[in-house]
């Protein structure tokens, strides 16, 4: 069975609108919460792909995100094992960092609707083609400046990157295909979580855009499946259980 590993940074951010897409394809997925002390050792050889989900703080905030270095090592392990990696929002920042980017704390609480614009590279890329000209919701706190050698796949209306593909099996998406209006509402309810002042407007727009957003989700998922060969099961390392032996055996 094809199995995905998803690193969850907050309880309100999960696969969301992508879950039906995965389930319809018979893909199983497991959530890993490094923040609660869960161990990621061996994960790259037990799963077919790694998904890094959204978060509430910039990658520079190591008080709230002390696991960043461990997560960067996890990305490297999946890439070395030739497994697909997809980062969404905060996860996209980690993908950019792993490719040599530089993290910035500002702009804090960065969330907005924009039109996606495929770059020259994106026009020949399945994902870039899928979102070109479509309205998308960008949501990620802080910023990561890309290294000079990495050309984005897509830009927002202001010319800032919203999608990258550092290598053939890795994507970072600052736009959020998984976010449902209800997930934005849950962010507001999450205790202690900072949210944008205009979160009400974002929720209202998300509801109004929902029919088109679902079409975008379909297009994005098809593009990722095609580009990353997500329907091919990779060889997995067997999991051994140690059995305690009685004295004299």
């Amino acid at each position: 069975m094809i199995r995905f590993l998803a690193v969850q940074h907050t309880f309100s951010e999960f696969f969301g609108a992508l879950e039906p897409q995965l389930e319809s394809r018979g893909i199983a997925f497991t959530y890993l919460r490094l923040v609660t002390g869960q161990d990621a050792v061996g994960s790259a050889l037990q799963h077919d792909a790694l998904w890094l989900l959204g978060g509430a703080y910039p990658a520079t905030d190591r008080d709230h995100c002390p696991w960043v270095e461990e997560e960067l090592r996890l990305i490297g392990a999946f890439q070395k094992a030739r497994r697909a990696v997809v980062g969404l929002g905060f996860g996209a920042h980690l993908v950019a960092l792993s490719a040599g980017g530089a993290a910035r704390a500002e702009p804090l609480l960065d969330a907005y609707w924009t039109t996606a614009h495929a770059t020259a590279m994106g026009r020949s890329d399945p994902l870039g083609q899928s979102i070109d000209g479509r309205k998308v919701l960008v949501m990620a706190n802080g910023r990561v400046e890309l290294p000079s050698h990495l050309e984005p796949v897509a830009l927002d209306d202001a010319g800032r990157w919203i999608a990258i593909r550092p290598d053939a099996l890795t994507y970072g998406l600052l736009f959020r295909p998984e976010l449902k209006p209800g997930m934005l509402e849950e962010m507001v309810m999450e205790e202690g979580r900072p949210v944008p002042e205009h979160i009400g407007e974002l929720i209202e727009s998300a509801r109004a855009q929902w029919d088109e957003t679902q079409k975008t989700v379909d297009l994005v998922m098809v593009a990722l499946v095609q580009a990353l060969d997500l329907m091919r099961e990779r060889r997995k390392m067997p999991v051994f259980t140690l059995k305690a032996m009685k004295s004299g055996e």
Side-chain angles (χ1 to χ4, degrees):
M1 176 181 286
I2 300 171
R3 297 182 182 277
F4 291 173
L5 180 68
V7 181
Q8 190 176 12
H9 306 103
T10 73
F11 289 101
S12 59
E13 296 180 72
F14 49 98
F15 269 130
L18 295 178
E19 284 191 356
Q21 295 279 345
L22 301 178
E23 292 169 349
S24 68
R25 291 173 169 83
I27 298 172
F29 50 88
T30 301
Y31 288 110
L32 171 68
R33 299 184 181 96
L34 296 179
V35 68
T36 63
Q38 284 187 274
D39 192 358
V41 175
S43 295
L45 296 180
Q46 294 167 9
H47 297 85
D48 299 288
L50 172 67
W51 293 69
L52 309 160
L53 305 181
Y57 300 93
T60 54
D61 188 342
R62 298 306 173 87
D63 288 335
H64 288 101
C65 309
W67 59 83
V68 166
E69 293 303 324
E70 182 178 358
E71 208 160 340
L72 292 175
R73 288 192 293 271
L74 186 61
I75 293 172
F78 269 79
Q79 291 175 330
K80 186 176 181 179
R82 301 296 296 161
R83 263 67 165 170
V85 176
V86 181
L88 305 174
F90 176 84
H93 282 169
L94 296 181
V95 166
L97 280 177
S98 72
R104 303 283 184 263
E106 300 293 336
L108 191 62
L109 305 176
D110 199 22
Y112 57 95
W113 286 91
T114 188
T115 300
H117 304 274
T119 61
M121 175 181 175
R123 286 191 285 274
S124 61
D125 182 273
L127 179 77
Q129 294 170 0
S130 74
I131 61 172
D132 189 35
R134 300 194 67 82
K135 287 286 185 182
V136 294
L137 174 60
V138 175
M139 195 170 192
N141 298 323
R143 194 73 186 169
V144 174
E145 302 298 333
L146 300 181
S148 59
H149 68 271
L150 182 55
E151 180 184 351
V153 169
L155 307 173
D156 66 9
D157 290 324
R160 303 191 306 171
W161 75 269
I162 59 171
I164 54 173
R165 191 179 187 181
D167 61 52
L169 290 176
T170 305
Y171 276 107
L173 314 179
L174 289 182
F175 69 93
R176 307 292 298 278
E178 86 285 12
L179 285 183
K180 300 186 292 186
M183 292 172 67
L184 293 171
E185 293 169 355
E186 288 178 16
M187 290 179 192
V188 177
M189 301 300 294
E190 192 172 317
E191 185 177 358
R193 181 193 176 111
V195 294
E197 291 183 359
H198 63 303
I199 187 68
E201 297 174 20
L202 293 175
I203 293 172
E204 185 177 341
S205 297
R207 289 176 181 149
Q209 294 275 353
W210 183 236
D211 288 343
E212 281 302 309
T213 296
Q214 290 184 85
K215 294 176 184 177
T216 301
V217 171
D218 292 342
L219 292 169
V220 167
M221 196 63 198
V222 169
L224 291 175
V225 167
Q226 175 188 345
L228 301 177
D229 198 13
L230 291 179
M231 294 306 297
R232 180 169 67 87
E233 185 174 2
R234 271 68 174 180
R235 185 167 180 254
K236 299 180 181 67
M237 181 179 69
V239 178
F240 297 99
T241 301
L242 297 179
K243 179 181 178 181
M245 300 294 290
K246 294 181 180 180
S247 178
E249 290 186 347

